[in-house]
């Protein structure tokens, strides 16, 4: 029997063999020609994956929280007003980070857990405003809620705010056209749809964000994330020149370059379409098994993860049985509903067969805890979606 379980959580995810091979390659110097070439190419590819031809990419050792910290530290000055569009735990986190750098933060919250504020509500908040910055969580991993980034970005711009998108659970899974949609800064981390083990904070800052940084009156309040330290490094590597500020994570950046190559080979449109279809298949299975989801309607549900409520009389014990059946899914994260739901991540190199394996394991878990349902109902519903093709 295979000991390996399928990891279907919202990050870290399953990585391709090529990416893992790059992780295991002999580590070179950070100024070795092959590393300079890989770093330079990864920076160029990041711009293509974010669809932001005139953006400035940053690749820095750290997690997604560091990417949020870097965005806030470089764009916010004490006393700046910021509007946070809050759809869950990661909106709360952005509030805390922004306040740490002296911002005065206002929030537009969803009317209920699992919902997203409407464009009208956000516009109403912006009107009152004078906001320098607006942040949006593309997919909040605690609720599985996706917001309408395109419409929100247009609104933010119309009211003169820099638009920052936390795309940690979205970039390279959900459709996001940074340049075309007018997003001033988008950020993510390596361990989700980007498809690389945890450890990289990834950002692309557009021209307006870089301009705001250059016009700062006060120094950036954190040494490590200050773009004044990192910009020359990114520019040097992209020009295929060696450089040093902090030792780059050589293997992770090599693996990132491999994964970005695979992402671009699939194509950004094909990639978001695959995520959409696999998500629909899993969500159809969840519904067929009689489970509700945290997102209150399909239009606000993410394509990168699914967040089902446990059915009546079932608790998180079912997840241990699903794991025994070979698939690891995640428990709840949002404190208000933590024990009432679970989360399945489906991003990156995820395939139709991974979805079917996951539904099969969930069905086995449900059967083990005595939940009454038609065995195979979830699988049939998923198959029906998958059989339709893209
Ligand atoms: N934002 C979102 C939307 C996330 O899902 C996460 C991680 N789950 C983060 C930020 C923070 O990323 P990290 O855990 O890599 O610090």
């Amino acid at each position: 029997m295979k000991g390996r379980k399928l990891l279907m959580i919202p990050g870290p995810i399953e990585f391709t063999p090529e990416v893992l091979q790059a992780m295991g390659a002999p580590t070179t110097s950070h100024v070795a020609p092959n590393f300079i070439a890989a770093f330079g190419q990864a920076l160029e590819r990041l711009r293509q994956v974010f669809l932001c031809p005139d953006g400035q990419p940053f690749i820095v050792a750290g997690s997604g929280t560091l990417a949020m910290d870097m965005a806030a530290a470089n764009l916010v000055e004490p006393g700046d007003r910021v509007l946070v569009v809050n759809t869950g735990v990661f909106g709360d986190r952005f509030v805390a980070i922004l306040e740490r750098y002296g911002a005065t933060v206002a929030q537009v919250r969803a009317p209920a857990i699992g919902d997203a504020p409407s464009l009208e509500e956000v516009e109403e908040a912006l009107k009152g405003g004078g906001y320098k910055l607006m942040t949006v969580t593309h997919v909040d991993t605690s609720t599985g809620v996706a917001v309408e980034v395109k419409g929100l970005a247009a609104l933010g711009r119309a009211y003169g705010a820099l638009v920052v998108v936390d795309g940690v659970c979205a970039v390279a899974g959900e459709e996001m056209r940074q340049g075309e949609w007018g997003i001033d800064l988008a950020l993510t981390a390596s361990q989700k749809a980007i498809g690389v083990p945890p450890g990289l904070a990834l950002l692309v800052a557009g021209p307006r964000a870089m301009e705001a940084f250059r016009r700062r009156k006060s120094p950036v309040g954190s040494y490590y994330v200050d773009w004044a330290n990192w910009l020359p490094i990114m520019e040097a590597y992209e020009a295929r020149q060696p450089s040093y500020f902090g030792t780059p994570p050589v293997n992770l950046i090599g693996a990132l370059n491999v994964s970005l190559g695979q992402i671009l080979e699939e194509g950004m449109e094909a990639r978001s379409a695959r995520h959409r279809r696999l998500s629909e298949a899993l969500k159809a299975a969840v519904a067929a098994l009689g489970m509700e989801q945290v997102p209150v309607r399909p239009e606000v549900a993410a394509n990168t993860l699914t967040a089902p409520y446990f059915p009546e009389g079932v608790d998180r014990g079912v997840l241990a049985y699903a794991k025994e059946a070979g698939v690891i899914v995640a428990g709840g994260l949002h404190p208000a509903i933590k024990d009432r739901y679970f989360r399945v991540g489906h991003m990156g190199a995820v395939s139709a067969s991974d979805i079917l394996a996951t539904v099969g394991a969930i069905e086995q878990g449900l059967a083990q805890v005595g939940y009454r349902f038609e065995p195979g109902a979830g699988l049939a519903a998923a198959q029906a979606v998958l059989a339709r093709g893209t």
Side-chain angles (χ1 to χ4, degrees):
M1 219 171 77
K2 278 199 297 179
R4 178 99 177 87
K5 310 273 184 205
L6 186 64
L7 186 59
M8 295 292 285
I9 67 171
I13 60 160
E14 295 269 326
F15 305 115
T16 65
E18 295 78 12
V19 164
L20 294 177
Q21 207 172 358
M23 286 299 293
T27 304
T28 64
S29 154
H30 60 288
V31 292
N34 67 336
F35 177 67
I36 294 171
F39 200 160
Q41 190 171 41
L43 287 160
E44 289 164 1
R45 287 175 165 171
L46 204 60
R47 220 180 254 122
Q48 293 168 37
V49 166
F50 281 60
L51 295 166
C52 192
D54 57 0
Q56 173 59 53
F58 292 90
I59 299 173
V60 177
S63 77
T65 306
L66 187 95
M68 298 167 80
D69 199 82
M70 184 176 255
N74 285 281
L75 294 180
V76 160
E77 296 193 60
D80 282 345
R81 291 169 60 79
V82 179
L83 184 67
V84 171
V85 179
N86 191 333
T87 45
V89 163
F90 293 100
D92 295 343
R93 182 170 296 191
F94 233 151
V95 172
I97 294 172
L98 289 157
E99 286 180 342
R100 187 65 66 89
Y101 290 110
T104 303
V105 180
Q107 300 182 55
V108 199
R109 285 180 168 274
I113 294 170
D115 207 346
S118 67
L119 291 181
E120 292 71 31
E121 284 166 315
V122 174
E123 178 158 23
E124 205 49 47
L126 280 166
K127 268 184 196 161
Y131 294 110
K132 175 177 179 187
L133 200 90
M134 177 175 89
T135 74
V136 170
T137 314
H138 193 160
V139 170
D140 198 294
T141 323
S142 69
T143 53
V145 167
V147 297
E148 233 183 291
V149 170
K150 187 180 177 184
L152 289 169
L155 270 182
R157 281 229 160 181
Y159 287 89
L162 290 169
V163 177
V164 171
V165 173
D166 170 355
V168 172
C169 198
V171 172
E174 304 282 350
E175 183 184 23
M176 200 245 344
R177 301 173 168 277
Q178 184 177 349
E180 200 181 307
W181 292 0
I183 298 164
D184 294 297
L185 185 146
L187 63 92
T188 189
S190 50
Q191 75 273 16
K192 302 204 194 226
I194 289 284
V196 176
L200 291 176
L202 306 168
L203 299 88
V204 177
R208 294 198 327 157
M210 293 312 296
E211 185 56 28
F213 164 70
R214 287 194 189 95
R215 288 197 185 164
R216 288 181 68 94
K217 293 183 195 74
S218 54
V220 170
S222 157
Y223 181 72
Y224 183 71
V225 298
D226 189 344
W227 282 343
N229 291 325
W230 289 109
L231 185 59
I233 308 303
M234 301 303 137
E235 288 174 340
Y237 275 101
E238 200 167 349
R240 308 302 193 263
Q241 298 293 324
S243 192
Y244 170 74
F245 167 61
T247 308
V250 171
N251 287 58
L252 275 168
I253 292 176
L256 174 70
N257 191 36
V258 170
S259 194
L260 294 175
Q262 291 178 333
I263 291 167
L264 291 168
E265 199 175 324
E266 180 176 15
M268 299 315 294
E269 268 181 40
R271 193 168 174 92
S272 53
R274 172 170 59 82
H275 280 78
R276 198 175 320 118
R277 185 168 67 101
L278 296 181
S279 171
E280 272 174 28
L282 184 60
K283 287 173 172 62
V286 162
L289 292 170
M291 290 185 272
E292 302 286 332
Q293 293 174 42
V294 177
V296 294
R297 15 170 227 290
E299 304 83 68
V300 295
N303 295 315
T304 48
L305 83 155
T306 299
Y309 282 109
F310 295 117
E312 194 69 32
V314 173
D315 64 18
R316 57 173 297 135
V318 70
L319 306 184
Y321 288 112
K323 181 175 172 187
E324 243 171 59
V327 180
I328 298 170
V329 299
L333 179 65
H334 196 293
I337 51 170
K338 197 174 181 328
D339 296 323
R340 292 174 44 209
Y341 77 113
F342 65 104
R343 297 173 302 145
V344 183
H346 32 81
M347 51 191 131
V350 63
S351 66
S353 54
D354 293 337
I355 298 293
L356 293 171
T358 303
V359 176
I362 291 171
E363 286 201 9
Q364 287 185 44
L366 289 170
Q368 293 276 350
V369 297
Y371 177 63
R372 289 167 65 92
F373 66 103
E374 179 70 33
L379 286 165
Q383 279 288 30
V385 173
L386 296 171
R388 280 203 322 251
T390 43

